[in-house]
Amino acid sequence: MRKKRLVWNTTTSLVYQLVTIICGLILPRLILNGFGSEVNGLVNSIKQFLTVISFLELGVGAVVQSALYKPLSENDTVKLSQIVTSANIFFRKIAFILAVYIVGLLVFYPKIVNAKFGYVYTDILIIAISIGSLVQYYFGIVDMLFLNAAQRGYVQYIPQSISIILNTLISYIMIRYGASIQAIKFVSSLIYLVRPIVLRIYIRKHYSLNYHEKYSAEPISQKWNGVAQHIAAIVLDSTDVIVLSTFSTLANVSIYSVYYLVVSGVKQLFMSLTNGFQSLIGELWARREIDELNRIFGWFEWLIHTGTVFFFGCTGILMLPFVQVYTKGITDANYIQPFFAALITIANAGHCLRLPYNIMILSGGHYKQTQSNYIIAAVVNIIISVIAVNTWGLVGVAIGTLIAMFYQTVWMAIYDSKNLIKWPLRNFIKQCFVDFLTVVIASLITSQLKLTSIEYISWLILAIKTAVVWIIVIWLINLVFYNDKIRHIMSKIGISVVKER
């Protein structure tokens, strides 16, 4: 059953991320063509300011999911109902605060952003974009956390994928027929209201949860101990756009959003392959199946590092050519930023490299013990980004993210080694050396490949050549340093081929 759910979660999550990436590339391009770089920058800036509201979640979401692992493994319906009830009460308070925050944005945001748009234009856009956030925090987020903890994340990925496709089609039609950006975003918010309704129907049908279960003692014992982790996550994801919105221009926000669209898409696509692992590792930790946990963690670390090197190695080579093709014909801003492209790619690769160590900390419930790491990373990112943005602009905010990510990844690996599964630090050091060696060799080879024309077909041919080279280099180097894992994979492939015949 574990394996079946892992496959379902991984597959549907992968499909969802592919849909997100494809539609996420189509829609901004339509907005750029239809409304220009400043409107695109305004939309992305507002989205980022609304993302910051999840700051108020204070990490409770991660703690709720961790708290659910044990009662789920024991099939303790009463305890599950108490946790869900407590979480719902908390998030309804967040929904109220979100409404107040949105009112504040309506008053102050037009003053903060240096743009030509008036109050009415900007405020209507804020309202249109914020509707979906309100509904999610009112009754959608707890159901999502419950399904993730129950290893049934696939239930939410399917309606999410359908919603994204539908939103892209309707937005395309509306843009083509001259609808305003406010009307387009308002319709988008209405489409996304469907997902939380579907999740609630599914849970009521398959689980006997009481959303109004009474309790005397707080069922989420570490409710406030995930604060630092959550703050760091929000800061690392949101600081760059907020700093650019405040201290730079909306044109720079638009440039940043195009590059971030690519690296974020790659990051989310890659992370979708790991979505089933957190609940699996959480269950193994709750049951104290340490030997099996160590075996799975060993594979998990290797797969994450190897996958990150491949995905982001190819991204680093293909990013600039893709942006050249994607922004062809857009002349109101300079989208060709090679140094920024390299830094933002490395920074987001660091986010993925830390996944196995971060997931182990979350699964182990070590929130309070690891707060200092998250706080320091958040502060470092903010300080460096604010100082550097005036001198180096886009590059400055990327440097802040990169340094914070590097610090956090190393710290987490050391912490896990000493305090959780006692994973030897030499394994981490060896893995990082292999990563570095692979990146250097593959980059030297693929940097010689060039885009022959500014067309998608030319970029696709370049992407295929690049991917083939990176796969060969990764395979050969890992055959030397991780011979056992490569041979195991080859044997599995061999077995599959034999069965098919």
Side-chain angles (χ1 to χ4, degrees):
M1 183 59 72
R2 284 175 179 171
K3 185 176 180 180
K4 184 178 179 181
R5 287 179 180 174
L6 181 61
V7 170
W8 263 99
N9 286 334
T10 302
T11 303
T12 54
S13 178
L14 179 60
V15 170
Y16 163 63
Q17 293 302 336
L18 284 171
V19 169
T20 302
I21 292 170
I22 294 170
C23 293
L25 290 171
I26 294 171
L27 194 53
R29 174 67 197 196
L30 293 173
I31 293 173
L32 280 169
N33 271 343
F35 302 99
S37 291
E38 285 213 333
V39 171
N40 185 54
L42 181 65
V43 169
N44 282 282
S45 177
I46 291 171
K47 284 182 179 178
Q48 213 59 57
F49 270 86
L50 286 171
T51 300
V52 174
I53 192 58
S54 61
F55 175 90
L56 292 171
E57 180 195 325
L58 298 175
V60 173
V63 178
V64 169
Q65 188 167 324
S66 296
L68 289 166
Y69 292 138
K70 187 176 181 182
L72 277 167
S73 67
E74 298 172 349
N75 199 26
D76 188 342
T77 303
V78 174
K79 184 67 174 178
L80 289 172
S81 296
Q82 290 175 345
I83 294 172
V84 167
T85 300
S86 176
N88 267 317
I89 292 171
F90 177 84
F91 282 108
R92 283 173 185 170
K93 293 176 182 177
I94 293 298
F96 174 77
I97 298 173
L98 173 56
V100 174
Y101 175 77
I102 292 169
V103 172
L105 279 183
L106 294 176
V107 175
F108 297 107
Y109 179 83
K111 295 180 180 179
I112 295 172
V113 178
N114 180 25
K116 63 184 180 183
F117 308 107
Y119 261 85
V120 175
Y121 183 98
T122 305
D123 282 353
I124 293 175
L125 187 57
I126 291 172
I127 293 170
I129 295 174
S130 64
I131 292 173
S133 297
L134 268 171
V135 174
Q136 174 181 310
Y137 276 97
Y138 187 69
F139 71 96
I141 193 168
V142 176
D143 292 343
M144 181 190 74
L145 293 169
F146 180 85
L147 290 170
N148 284 341
Q151 300 180 51
R152 295 180 184 271
Y154 56 85
V155 175
Q156 61 170 304
Y157 297 133
I158 296 171
Q160 278 180 323
S161 300
I162 295 171
S163 297
I164 290 172
I165 294 171
L166 185 61
N167 174 58
T168 303
L169 289 173
I170 293 177
S171 296
Y172 167 73
I173 294 170
M174 293 181 72
I175 291 173
R176 186 174 180 182
Y177 285 94
S180 68
I181 188 65
Q182 290 88 347
I184 292 166
K185 291 302 174 183
F186 180 76
V187 172
S188 295
S189 290
L190 293 181
I191 291 171
Y192 290 128
L193 298 185
V194 176
R195 182 183 64 89
I197 296 172
V198 172
L199 299 189
R200 179 59 60 91
I201 291 172
Y202 178 89
I203 290 177
R204 287 198 178 281
K205 184 176 179 180
H206 292 85
Y207 295 92
S208 301
L209 293 180
N210 179 3
Y211 284 84
H212 304 283
E213 185 75 44
K214 296 186 182 298
Y215 54 87
S216 55
E218 173 57 57
I220 308 174
S221 58
Q222 296 194 71
K223 181 180 283 189
W224 301 108
N225 289 338
V227 173
Q229 288 88 330
H230 186 69
I231 291 174
I234 297 302
V235 167
L236 290 173
D237 283 341
S238 307
T239 293
D240 293 353
V241 169
I242 292 175
V243 169
L244 288 171
S245 298
T246 307
F247 299 102
S248 190
T249 65
L250 285 179
N252 267 343
V253 174
S254 182
I255 295 169
Y256 180 92
S257 69
V258 169
Y259 282 89
Y260 188 73
L261 186 68
V262 178
V263 293
S264 177
V266 173
K267 179 175 70 176
Q268 294 302 325
L269 176 63
F270 180 68
M271 289 174 65
S272 69
L273 299 173
T274 72
N275 282 343
F277 279 95
Q278 180 169 343
S279 55
L280 174 59
I281 290 174
E283 181 187 351
L284 292 171
W285 179 262
R287 293 178 180 273
R288 291 299 187 266
E289 298 179 23
I290 303 302
D291 291 340
E292 180 67 4
L293 176 59
N294 273 274
R295 186 186 71 81
I296 289 177
F297 186 85
W299 272 99
F300 188 39
E301 181 187 53
W302 181 76
L303 288 170
I304 290 293
H305 278 258
T306 306
T308 298
V309 167
F310 172 71
F311 277 92
F312 284 92
C314 292
T315 300
I317 300 298
L318 297 168
M319 170 85 84
L320 213 58
F322 176 81
V323 172
Q324 285 180 287
V325 177
Y326 186 75
T327 60
K328 182 180 178 181
I330 306 296
T331 58
D332 58 353
N334 179 21
Y335 284 87
I336 308 305
Q337 306 280 344
F339 190 39
F340 171 68
L343 288 177
I344 196 173
T345 300
I346 297 170
N348 281 272
H351 186 281
C352 290
L353 287 177
R354 76 188 186 121
L355 276 174
Y357 319 109
N358 189 47
I359 284 175
M360 192 62 246
I361 288 172
L362 297 179
S363 299
H366 282 218
Y367 296 96
K368 186 176 182 179
Q369 301 92 320
T370 58
Q371 283 184 355
S372 62
N373 160 55
Y374 292 89
I375 292 172
I376 292 172
V379 171
V380 165
N381 191 21
I382 293 172
I383 291 175
I384 294 177
S385 295
V386 170
I387 292 173
V389 69
N390 289 323
T391 305
W392 296 304
L394 291 165
V395 171
V397 295
I399 290 173
T401 303
L402 176 60
I403 293 173
M405 226 32 113
F406 175 79
Y407 163 78
Q408 199 170 61
T409 301
V410 174
W411 193 98
M412 286 179 178
I414 294 172
Y415 183 86
D416 283 356
S417 175
K418 291 181 177 180
N419 300 282
L420 285 165
I421 59 172
K422 313 298 182 184
W423 192 248
L425 194 58
R426 65 177 179 273
N427 292 353
F428 171 72
I429 296 172
K430 176 186 175 182
Q431 185 66 71
C432 289
F433 171 75
V434 173
D435 296 343
F436 178 77
L437 184 64
T438 305
V439 169
V440 170
I441 294 174
S443 295
L444 287 173
I445 298 172
T446 51
S447 62
Q448 305 305 310
L449 303 174
K450 303 298 179 183
L451 191 67
T452 56
S453 63
I454 312 300
E455 303 292 340
Y456 281 107
I457 187 65
S458 179
W459 181 85
L460 182 60
I461 293 170
L462 177 63
I464 293 171
K465 291 177 180 177
T466 302
V468 169
V469 171
W470 278 82
I471 288 171
I472 292 172
V473 173
I474 288 171
W475 193 267
L476 291 175
I477 291 178
N478 278 276
L479 196 59
V480 174
F481 291 95
Y482 291 99
N483 185 271
D484 57 327
K485 288 183 169 57
I486 296 297
R487 289 187 179 278
H488 179 78
I489 291 173
M490 291 175 69
S491 68
K492 289 293 184 182
I493 294 173
I495 292 171
S496 297
V497 171
V498 170
K499 284 182 178 178
E500 287 174 7
R501 291 178 180 174

